[in-house]
């Protein structure tokens, strides 16, 4: 069965650079969520989309933006990267109605 | 904002012992979900509880949702080394709303 696909798996950037993370949800899933997880931390909600419209926003810095495209894939754009942005970024998809989320394998971002 | 706390943060048990993690939300939830994350892995859905006082079982795992829909617990009977990982509860306050993760309980099981 198809799973949530995230790319790239690993990304190394320098301070003040930009990064784009991509997420391809499971087909026919209408919600996409982005989470940030630091080492030993719980996943922190960043932003979510329902049917390509932003549905909820969490602790996402103004330097970050995200969108969901017509083919339902989503991108998280991160600018002016800081050392503290180093983390594992997960994308998850699901169906609206409170059902379970399926997580991708994540993108490990390292900012040097 | 909504906060979801879990205790304990960490538990180390010997194989065969029982394990329980408790989850408390600062706000009333519409549903609570439980996820397991293995070291180096991603969260994997275990179960969802929706009704007040609901109890669900999956083999050696028992999940409860409190009457006030603000707390939950996960109990594992006779732990095995395959149970190693971090267990997160995650709550929603409405359908299609954000899923707020708890602080997690890391379980270590040794022979």
């Amino acid at each position: 069965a198809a799973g949530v696909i995230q790319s790239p798996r690993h990304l190394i950037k320098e301070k003040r650079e930009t990064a784009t993370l991509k997420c391809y949800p499971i087909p026919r899933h209408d919600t996409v969520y982005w989470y940030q997880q630091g080492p030993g931390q719980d996943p922190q909600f960043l932003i979510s989309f329902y049917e390509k419209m932003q549905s909820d926003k969490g602790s996402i810095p103004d330097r970050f933006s995200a969108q969901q495209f017509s083919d339902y894939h989503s991108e998280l754009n991160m600018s002016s990267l800081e050392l503290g942005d180093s983390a594992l970024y997960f994308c998850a998809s699901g169906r609206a109605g409170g059902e379970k989320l399926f997580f991708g394998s994540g993108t490990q971002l390292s900012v040097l | 904002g909504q906060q979801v706390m879990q205790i304990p943060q960490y538990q180390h048990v010997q194989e065969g012992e029982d394990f329980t993690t408790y989850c408390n939300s600062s706000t009333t939830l519409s549903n609570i979900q439980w996820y397991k994350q293995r070291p180096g892995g991603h969260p994997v859905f275990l179960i969802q509880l929706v009704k007040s006082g609901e109890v669900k079982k999956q083999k050696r795992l028992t999940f409860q949702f409190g009457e006030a829909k603000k707390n939950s617990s996960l109990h594992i009977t006779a732990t095995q080394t395959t149970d190693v990982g971090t267990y997160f509860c995650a709550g929603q306050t409405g359908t299609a709303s954000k899923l707020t993760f708890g602080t997690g309980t890391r379980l270590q099981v040794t022979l």
Side-chain angles (χ1 to χ4, degrees):
Chain A
V4 177
I5 298 179
Q6 289 187 247
S7 67
R9 289 295 304 272
H10 303 275
L11 191 57
I12 298 174
K13 291 284 184 179
E14 299 204 347
K15 282 197 315 183
R16 292 181 288 277
E17 285 192 323
T18 61
T20 298
L21 279 54
K22 296 186 178 182
C23 169
Y24 296 84
I26 292 172
R28 291 180 294 282
H29 279 189
D30 51 17
T31 61
V32 167
Y33 294 74
W34 284 96
Y35 285 87
Q36 177 193 59
Q37 187 176 31
Q41 304 295 311
D42 53 287
Q44 292 292 313
F45 172 75
L46 293 177
I47 195 166
S48 63
F49 295 88
Y50 170 61
E51 283 293 343
K52 295 167 278 185
M53 298 288 290
Q54 182 182 309
S55 57
D56 212 336
K57 200 170 182 180
S59 50
I60 182 170
D62 292 340
R63 301 177 288 108
F64 293 7
S65 65
Q67 56 182 322
Q68 189 175 25
F69 295 85
S70 58
D71 64 351
Y72 287 88
H73 94 272
S74 179
E75 294 183 3
L76 178 65
N77 298 292
M78 310 159 73
S79 63
S80 303
L81 287 169
E82 302 173 356
L83 297 178
D85 296 328
S86 295
L88 191 53
Y89 290 83
F90 287 111
C91 169
S93 74
R95 290 196 185 94
E99 293 192 21
K100 62 184 177 181
L101 295 185
F102 292 81
F103 281 77
S105 299
T107 294
Q108 180 66 58
L109 172 65
S110 299
V111 181
L112 307 177
Chain B
Q2 181 189 10
Q3 290 187 328
V4 183
M5 305 296 291
Q6 281 181 254
I7 55 170
Q9 277 189 310
Y10 171 76
Q11 184 141 22
H12 184 180
V13 300
Q14 291 202 316
E15 191 175 48
E17 293 182 332
D18 292 354
F19 159 77
T20 303
T21 171
Y22 300 91
C23 171
N24 288 284
S25 169
S26 59
T27 57
T28 303
L29 302 169
S30 63
N31 72 85
I32 195 152
Q33 301 176 20
W34 284 90
Y35 290 80
K36 177 183 178 182
Q37 186 175 23
R38 292 181 186 274
H42 58 274
V44 174
F45 175 84
L46 294 176
I47 209 159
Q48 176 179 266
L49 303 168
V50 178
K51 299 176 185 174
S52 169
E54 189 170 14
V55 177
K56 285 189 177 180
K57 292 191 176 185
Q58 282 182 352
K59 297 182 180 178
R60 296 178 293 105
L61 278 60
T62 302
F63 304 84
Q64 288 189 314
F65 200 10
E67 294 290 341
K69 300 184 76 172
K70 293 180 74 173
N71 55 68
S72 182
S73 66
L74 158 59
H75 179 81
I76 302 179
T77 304
T79 54
Q80 299 175 357
T81 53
T82 52
D83 295 326
V84 164
T86 300
Y87 292 84
F88 291 101
C89 63
Q92 281 184 308
T93 55
T95 56
S97 70
K98 66 181 179 183
L99 192 64
T100 299
F101 277 76
T103 46
T105 296
R106 185 160 71 93
L107 173 64
Q108 181 64 35
V109 182
T110 51
L111 295 171

